């Protein structure tokens, strides 16, 4: 309701200094309050007045307040704030419960001046008050979303908001306790770096982008200016990790600092994790060590196209050597003292043997989280398992790997619009060099079909998708070129 909106501020014209004056957000709201004669009856009267909707109903405003008279407040007298439609000097506005309480001398209806200030208003409230209507539109309104990495809030402001970027950052800093630094991207990701890093300016707080963040029960540390991180993908990271089975092998082709690889390793999944960015590779290794999953997560720093086939070869060779991970039991088990020697028994109970998890010879999943270009990597799957057909069905129970490739496509116009999904399927087919791939059902990855799942909207007409499909046999077992065969 308008009573609880902040005062309207008229920001300075573009080109003039735009300053956040927090004192201008002070506002007095004239209300009525029910003074309860007996303090012990506060709870009872609160229930009665709530039932007949006499009480105030506004976010972040308490129903029970101290009496407006300082002398009575010092004695512990309390009041119940009433709905704004109720006026102290107008009994015709009182509800039956209030009237009955006054007649019984159990209540007194008194004026109450509710003082609101800058601390009360939410970020959205302040933005509506400050930003002029001409810089807003029906789609954006004002900047509300940001990517957060540890203590850093990363904005991506459109041009009309740039004159107000400092004040936007100040308010964002004020209203988010976990944020200490606010930055704004000044170039598209990848424009100045092939590693998906970006140029930025600091809008508020210290220029400190060394962050620590937690996601999916793992701790990640990194320099946000040198690697790619997107907190809005946490649910997508979790979704894919939940598809992996402990003991199987996943190849993460564009692993970044490990948002897929490290939680998967913690689950007991072997991950061959690669990133082309040397800084991402360094932080990937550090984060694997920090989260105690180095037995399962092996970092690499190679071009993804080369790595796809090389990973398949490396996993096969490592499995043939008999490599494994060793589970040493829980920390509680390791700390448990052996029982005292009992001379009446032959020996004390020995500690349990560490459990070995052998490395399988094949990769079960490939993850390709580079939505701008991941589908261009698909030709690298040709000849993935050339000459190793005996590893897979029908010779064994093992199926060919699933690929989860993220990509961009248009936004569906409505719930029945399949055009963007079919576009993704066609691009997957072209990348693999096959025909006849079908659009599969969501939640199912069938032979010869591609499951296309919406991940998130990234722009008004641009959506991120995840295309999941099984590598076709004619692709996996195709002959490699002489150059490819020499590098295997």
């Amino acid at each position: 309701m308008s009573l609880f909106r902040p005062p309207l501020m008229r920001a300075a014209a573009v080109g003039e200094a735009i300053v956040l004056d927090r004192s201008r957000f002070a506002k007095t709201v004239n209300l009525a309050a029910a003074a309860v004669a007996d303090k012990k009856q506060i709870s009872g009267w609160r229930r009665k007045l709530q039932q007949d909707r006499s009480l105030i109903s506004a976010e972040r405003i308490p129903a029970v307040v101290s009496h407006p008279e300082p002398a009575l407040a010092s004695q512990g007298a309390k009041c119940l704030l009433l709905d704004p439609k109720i006026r102290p000097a107008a009994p015709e506005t009182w509800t039956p419960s209030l009237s009955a309480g006054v007649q019984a001398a159990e209540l007194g209806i008194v004026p109450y001046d509710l003082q609101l200030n800058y601390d009360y208003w939410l970020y959205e409230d302040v933005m509506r008050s400050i930003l002029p209507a001409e810089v807003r539109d029906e789609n954006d309104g004002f900047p509300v979303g940001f990517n957060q990495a540890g203590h850093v809030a990363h904005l991506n402001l459109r041009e009309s908001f740039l004159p107000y970027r400092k004040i936007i950052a100040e308010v964002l800093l004020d209203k988010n306790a976990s944020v200490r630094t606010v930055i704004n991207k000044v170039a598209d990701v990848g424009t100045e770096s092939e590693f998906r890093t970006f140029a930025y300016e600091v809008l508020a707080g210290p220029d400190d982008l060394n962050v620590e963040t937690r996601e999916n029960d793992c701790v990640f540390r990194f320099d946000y200016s040198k690697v790619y991180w997107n907190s809005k993908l946490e649910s997508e990271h979790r979704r894919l990790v939940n598809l992996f089975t402990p003991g199987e092998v996943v190849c993460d082709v564009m692993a970044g600092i490990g948002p897929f690889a490290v939680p998967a390793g913690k689950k007991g999944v072997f991950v061959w994790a690669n990133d082309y960015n040397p800084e991402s590779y360094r932080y990937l290794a550090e984060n694997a060590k920090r989260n105690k999953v180095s037995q399962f997560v092996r970092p690499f720093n190679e071009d993804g196209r080369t790595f796809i086939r090389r990973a398949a070869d490396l996993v096969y060779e490592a499995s043939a050597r008999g490599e494994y991970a060793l589970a040493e039991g829980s920390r509680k088990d390791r700390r448990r003292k052996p029982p005292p020697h009992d001379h009446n028994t032959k020996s004390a109970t020995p500690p349990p043997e560490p459990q070995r998890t052998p490395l399988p010879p094949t990769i079960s999943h490939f993850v390709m989280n580079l939505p701008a270009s991941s589908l261009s990597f698909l030709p690298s799957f040709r000849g993935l398992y050339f000459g190793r057909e005996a590893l897979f069905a029908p010779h064994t129970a093992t199926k060919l790997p699933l690929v989860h490739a993220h990509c961009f496509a248009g936004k569906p116009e409505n719930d029945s619009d399949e055009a963007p999904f079919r576009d993704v399927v066609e691009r997957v087919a072209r990348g693999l060099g096959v025909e006849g791939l079908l659009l599969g059902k969501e939640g199912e990855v069938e032979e010869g079909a591609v499951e296309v799942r919406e991940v998130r909207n990234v722009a008004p007409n641009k959506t991120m998708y995840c295309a999941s499909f099984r590598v076709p046999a004619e692709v996996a077992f195709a002959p490699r070129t002489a150059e490819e065969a020499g590098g295997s």
Side-chain angles (χ1 to χ4, degrees):
M1 60 183 69
S2 60
L3 279 176
F4 300 102
R5 291 175 185 161
L8 184 62
M9 306 293 163
R10 294 297 180 185
V14 175
E16 299 179 12
I18 302 174
V19 180
L20 176 62
D21 185 354
R22 295 169 179 82
S23 66
R24 294 180 62 194
F25 283 85
K27 181 177 183 178
T28 300
V29 181
N30 303 124
L31 298 172
V36 182
D38 184 353
K39 291 185 289 186
K40 296 179 181 179
Q41 300 300 317
I42 285 284
S43 296
W45 273 109
R46 180 175 183 172
R47 286 192 297 272
K48 288 181 184 179
L49 299 182
Q50 201 164 29
Q51 288 172 357
D52 70 358
R53 299 184 180 179
S54 299
L55 280 186
I56 194 167
S57 178
E59 293 181 356
R60 306 181 311 284
I61 293 178
V64 181
V65 294
S66 297
H67 198 286
E69 292 292 335
L72 293 175
S74 66
Q75 298 172 18
K78 300 290 184 182
C79 290
L80 294 167
L81 284 187
L82 302 176
D83 188 276
K85 69 178 181 290
I86 296 170
R87 300 191 298 276
E92 65 274 14
T93 65
W94 299 355
T95 61
S97 295
L98 288 173
S99 299
V102 171
Q103 289 178 359
E106 295 181 16
L107 297 179
I109 311 301
V110 299
Y112 189 95
D113 293 335
L114 178 65
Q115 304 296 332
L116 301 178
N117 57 30
Y118 176 78
D119 291 339
Y120 168 74
W121 314 114
L122 299 176
Y123 168 83
E124 291 83 355
D125 298 326
V126 178
M127 287 296 100
R128 288 192 183 94
S129 175
I130 291 176
L131 294 180
E134 58 267 23
V135 305
R136 305 199 303 254
D137 61 40
E138 61 182 8
N139 291 322
D140 293 309
F142 50 83
V144 291
F146 58 87
N147 187 27
Q148 186 168 351
H151 65 273
V152 176
H154 167 205
L155 294 168
N156 186 12
L157 297 175
R158 57 187 177 88
E159 188 174 355
S160 61
F161 290 129
L162 293 180
Y164 309 93
R165 62 190 183 279
K166 296 286 187 179
I167 198 169
I168 291 170
E170 279 190 78
V171 178
L172 194 152
L173 203 64
D174 288 341
K175 302 301 179 179
N176 292 272
S178 62
V179 173
R180 290 193 288 111
T181 298
V182 182
I183 63 174
N184 182 49
K185 184 174 71 173
V186 296
D188 288 338
V189 172
T191 299
E192 298 183 9
S193 170
E194 60 184 325
F195 301 138
R196 292 196 289 178
T197 56
F198 55 90
Y200 68 93
E201 63 173 333
V202 177
L203 301 181
D207 187 359
D208 174 17
L209 269 64
N210 288 294
V211 302
E212 177 178 306
T213 189
R214 293 177 178 271
E215 183 179 288
N216 293 324
D217 297 323
C218 297
V219 178
F220 298 92
R221 291 180 189 167
F222 51 94
D223 184 338
Y224 190 39
S225 68
K226 296 180 179 180
V227 303
Y228 178 79
W229 176 267
N230 192 335
S231 60
K232 295 177 181 178
L233 293 175
E234 180 175 2
S235 60
E236 178 65 1
H237 298 153
R238 185 184 306 112
R239 182 184 74 84
L240 284 188
V241 170
N242 286 340
L243 298 179
F244 308 152
T245 301
E248 66 183 8
V249 183
V250 171
C251 177
D252 193 349
V253 184
M254 304 93 175
I257 65 164
F260 289 109
V262 174
K266 201 167 186 178
K267 186 178 177 180
V269 176
F270 292 99
V271 186
W272 257 243
N274 173 71
D275 202 90
Y276 190 46
N277 180 353
E279 291 293 331
S280 294
Y281 163 74
R282 179 168 70 88
Y283 286 114
L284 170 63
E286 291 179 5
N287 287 319
K289 184 178 180 180
R290 178 172 295 111
N291 289 277
K292 298 181 173 57
V293 295
S294 296
Q295 277 199 104
F296 289 97
V297 178
R298 305 192 189 192
F300 297 83
N301 179 212
E302 301 179 8
D303 177 84
R305 291 175 176 83
T306 304
F307 184 70
I308 289 172
R309 274 186 293 254
R310 196 166 110 78
D313 295 340
L314 290 174
V315 168
Y316 177 78
E317 293 164 4
S319 178
R321 290 193 299 269
E323 294 191 14
Y324 57 86
L326 197 63
E328 299 180 354
S330 68
R331 182 178 299 179
K332 182 178 179 181
D333 290 337
R334 295 197 302 270
R335 288 180 175 176
R336 185 178 296 159
K337 294 182 179 180
H341 185 71
D342 186 350
H343 294 286
N344 295 322
T345 61
K346 292 184 178 180
S347 63
T349 303
E353 288 290 330
Q355 184 176 357
R356 293 188 178 192
T357 303
L359 178 72
T362 61
I363 296 171
S364 297
H365 298 264
F366 283 84
V367 177
M368 302 169 68
N369 183 26
L370 189 66
S373 61
S374 68
L375 299 187
S376 69
F377 287 65
L378 295 183
S380 297
F381 284 93
R382 185 158 291 274
L384 183 71
Y385 282 111
F386 172 63
R388 294 179 180 146
E389 291 86 345
L391 294 173
F392 299 95
H395 310 286
T396 70
T398 303
K399 295 182 178 181
L400 282 163
L402 285 171
V403 178
H404 310 281
H406 294 91
C407 60
F408 294 129
K411 184 178 180 180
E413 294 183 1
N414 50 58
D415 291 342
S416 61
D417 181 16
E418 292 186 343
F421 299 87
R422 296 191 180 280
D423 171 61
V424 172
V425 174
E426 291 173 6
R427 289 157 59 195
V428 169
R430 287 198 302 271
L432 293 172
V434 299
E435 297 180 355
L437 288 183
L438 303 175
L439 174 62
K441 297 179 181 179
E442 186 168 308
E444 298 180 17
V445 183
E446 300 173 341
E447 297 287 346
V450 182
E451 178 209 28
V452 183
R453 179 186 292 265
E454 288 187 67
V455 177
R456 57 182 290 263
N457 293 327
V458 295
N461 296 307
K462 185 178 181 181
T463 297
M464 179 179 173
Y465 296 87
C466 181
S468 296
F469 55 92
R470 200 169 293 282
V471 180
E474 65 265 37
V475 173
F477 302 137
R480 297 186 182 183
T481 66
E483 180 182 353
E484 294 164 352
S488 64

